[in-house]
């Protein structure tokens, strides 16, 4: 709904820039909600949308072939327009809508535009050497899998979830793996220091060396990587290096558009920008969070789906969907870590299943009967039940806030 309570005019044509999970999910949601106009998806990659989480896991381990990752089905191929293999380089606004400018000289005109351009991996000096990889796309994963075939010594730079998943996959393939991480306690901000330390111990249990508080000095080699030198002067042998130090949102194409940018596309709580008819979803979006009063990027699979529901309903002038708690998961060493909600700083976990020394567990954070977060390893049905309770609590809180501001 618009600020004066009047639904915005429904756009008869929609351009979604980014043929991703977020982009495809928004297109499907629009159709489900009754949009009958044209929907065009524009993608810089030559691939139809695919599932990215398996890239660091089953795909690298050669248990999931590329065709198993594809998200778009026959109905999507025929029900939407597609412009693949071409980047968007600009967005102009007209009296009748918007014009997306493409790198091949073409344009796509639409009454509404949804930015779903995702993000790209940060990199380091030396990343141009053969054997040095980042992992964001299917082509990235295919190149890394090829390097794994001949490489023995793998150095993963960054102990984020993707880096840890790559390390897990490499170890399963019999590689000698070292993770180098600049912070002293990676993951503590997400799951708390106690649980983060538990997760770190799993690396050693599977033969993976984790170096924390360690900075990279140089990545060495002539044409192909040969080693990595740390700031303390020590040198690690490396046939393969994977750089996993975060990502940069792909928003350059919007610089001259008048859309507000600040480490992502700034939107309201329902993914609408301040420019009428322009929305943003997925990794490139910084969505307003009424709970914290901040604009946040939620770079997870579940976040992309939540954004797609919000943007589609906002575009069609419908009420917002139910609010859900943030959720993400990571598969490492044959176990699944799941996190729902936000772990508050300085609080200790309360174990509802398992305990400090068990391989699997379910733990909550916050007030006893009203936790604000739940973290589990192989948590099963108990985690699922607690996550649903968090979702209901989050939706009640959001509804109460909306009533207060009316």
């Amino acid at each position: 709904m618009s600020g004066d309570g009047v639904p915005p005019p429904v756009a008869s044509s929609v351009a979604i820039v980014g043929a991703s999970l977020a982009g495809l999910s928004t297109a499907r949601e629009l159709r489900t909600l009754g949009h009958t106009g044209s929907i065009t998806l524009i993608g810089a990659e030559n691939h139809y949308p695919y599932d990215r989480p398996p890239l660091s896991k089953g795909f690298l381990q050669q248990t999931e072939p590329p065709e198993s990752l594809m998200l778009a089905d026959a109905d999507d191929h025929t029900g939407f327009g597609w412009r693949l293999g071409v980047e968007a380089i600009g967005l102009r606004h007209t009296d009748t809508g918007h014009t997306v400018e493409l790198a091949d000289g073409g344009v796509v005109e639409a009454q509404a535009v949804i930015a779903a351009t995702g993000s790209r991996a940060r990199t380091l000096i030396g990343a141009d050497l053969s054997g040095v990889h980042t992992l964001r796309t299917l082509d990235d994963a295919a190149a890394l899998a090829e390097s794994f075939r001949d490489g023995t010594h793998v150095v993963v730079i960054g102990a984020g979830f993707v880096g840890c998943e790559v390390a897990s996959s490499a170890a399963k393939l019999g590689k000698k793996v070292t993770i180098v991480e600049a912070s002293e306690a990676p993951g503590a901000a997400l799951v708390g220091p106690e649980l983060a330390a538990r997760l770190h111990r799993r690396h050693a249990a599977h033969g993976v060396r984790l170096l924390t508080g360690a900075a990279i000095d140089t990545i060495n080699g002539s044409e192909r990587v040969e080693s990595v030198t740390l700031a303390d002067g020590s040198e690690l042998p490396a046939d393969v290096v994977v750089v996993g130090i975060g990502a940069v949102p792909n928003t350059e194409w919007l610089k001259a558009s008048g859309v507000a940018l600040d480490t992502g596309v700034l939107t309201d709580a329902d993914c609408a920008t301040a420019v009428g008819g322009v929305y943003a979803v997925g990794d490139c979006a910084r969505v307003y969070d009424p709970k914290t009063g901040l604009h946040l990027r939620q770079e997870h699979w579940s976040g992309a789906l939540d954004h797609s529901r919000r943007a589609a309903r906002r575009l069609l002038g419908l009420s917002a969907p139910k609010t859900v708690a943030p959720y993400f998961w990571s598969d490492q060493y044959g176990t699944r870590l799941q996190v729902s909600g936000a772990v508050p700083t300085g609080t200790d976990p309360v174990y509802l299943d398992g305990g400090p020394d068990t391989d699997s567990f379910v733990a909550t954070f916050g007030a006893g009967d009203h936790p604000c977060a739940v973290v589990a390893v192989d948590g099963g049905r108990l985690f699922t039940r607690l996550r649903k309770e968090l979702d209901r609590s989050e939706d009640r809180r959001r509804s109460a806030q909306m009533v207060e501001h009316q």
Side-chain angles (χ1 to χ4, degrees), residues 11-18 23 26 30 35 38-42 81 91 98-100 102 107-116 253 277-279 315:
S12 61
S13 57
V14 178
I16 300 177
V17 186
T26 307
L30 287 168
H35 186 272
S38 67
I39 300 176
T40 303
L41 288 103
I42 303 162
L91 176 65
H98 312 275
T99 300
V100 179
L102 305 179
V107 299
V108 174
E109 296 182 350
Q111 290 185 317
V113 172
I114 300 169
W253 67 285
V278 180
Y279 309 80
L315 190 154

Side-chain angles (χ1 to χ4, degrees), residues 65-403:
E67 55 270 20
S68 71
L69 310 184
M70 295 299 125
L71 296 173
D73 57 27
D75 289 340
D76 296 320
H77 292 169
T78 58
F80 307 126
W82 296 90
R83 295 291 300 272
L84 299 178
V86 60
E87 290 187 50
I89 59 172
L91 176 65
R92 292 186 288 106
H93 314 297
T94 67
D95 292 338
T96 58
H98 312 275
T99 300
V100 179
E101 300 171 332
L102 305 179
D104 64 2
V107 299
V108 174
E109 296 182 350
Q111 290 185 317
V113 172
I114 300 169
T117 40
S119 57
R120 62 188 182 277
R122 295 183 185 277
T123 190
L124 294 170
I125 295 174
D128 55 339
L129 292 172
S130 178
V132 180
H133 300 269
T134 56
L135 182 57
R136 296 293 296 181
T137 70
L138 181 57
D139 292 341
D140 290 342
L144 179 55
E146 182 65 28
S147 284
F148 274 177
R149 289 189 180 94
D150 299 323
T152 300
H153 296 278
V154 177
V155 174
V156 178
I157 302 172
F161 287 122
V162 171
C164 290
E165 288 168 1
V166 169
S168 170
S169 294
K172 187 171 183 179
L173 294 172
K175 310 303 178 183
K176 298 178 180 179
V177 185
T178 301
I179 304 173
V180 180
E181 166 60 38
S183 70
E184 294 287 353
L190 293 175
V191 300
E194 178 182 325
L195 298 188
R198 290 187 60 171
L199 299 178
H200 298 164
R201 291 194 290 270
R202 293 189 304 168
H203 296 300
H206 289 83
V208 173
R209 185 184 181 195
L210 172 62
L211 303 178
T212 59
I216 300 295
D217 184 39
T218 56
I219 300 174
N220 312 308
S222 51
E223 294 183 358
R224 183 171 184 86
V225 65
E226 298 172 1
S227 65
V228 173
T229 302
L230 305 183
D232 64 5
S234 58
E235 191 166 339
L236 305 174
D239 321 291
V240 180
V241 171
V242 183
V243 181
I245 55 173
V248 181
N250 294 318
T251 59
E252 288 79 5
W253 67 285
L254 291 169
K255 279 187 175 179
S257 69
V259 173
L261 306 174
D262 183 5
T263 322
V265 183
L266 298 182
T267 78
D268 66 13
D270 293 315
C271 299
T273 75
V275 176
V278 180
Y279 309 80
V281 297
D283 288 4
C284 73
R286 279 190 66 194
V287 179
Y288 180 72
D289 176 24
K291 186 175 183 179
T292 62
L294 303 173
H295 286 85
L296 304 175
R297 286 174 61 209
Q298 190 176 349
E299 300 175 82
H300 302 294
W301 194 88
S302 57
L305 296 185
D306 183 54
H307 290 177
S308 70
R309 291 188 287 265
R310 294 190 172 281
R313 297 185 72 87
R314 180 64 177 270
L315 190 154
L316 296 176
L318 303 175
S319 59
K322 289 185 177 181
T323 300
V324 296
Y327 167 72
F328 61 90
W329 76 92
S330 178
D331 294 327
Q332 303 171 31
Y333 306 113
T335 63
R336 170 160 290 191
L337 166 71
Q338 293 174 285
V339 181
S340 183
V343 174
T345 303
T347 59
D348 295 323
V350 176
Y351 290 96
L352 303 185
D353 186 42
D357 300 318
T358 59
D359 291 336
S360 62
F361 65 88
V362 178
T364 60
F365 291 81
D369 294 335
H370 300 284
C372 57
V374 55
V375 180
V377 169
D378 294 339
R381 292 181 178 178
L382 178 56
F383 176 85
T384 301
R385 177 174 66 79
L386 292 171
R387 180 190 171 193
K388 289 179 179 178
E389 290 177 6
L390 279 180
D391 286 345
R392 287 191 288 269
S393 177
E394 190 75 8
D395 191 58
R396 288 194 295 268
R397 181 195 58 76
R398 174 76 181 275
S399 298
Q401 283 184 329
M402 292 177 66
V403 170

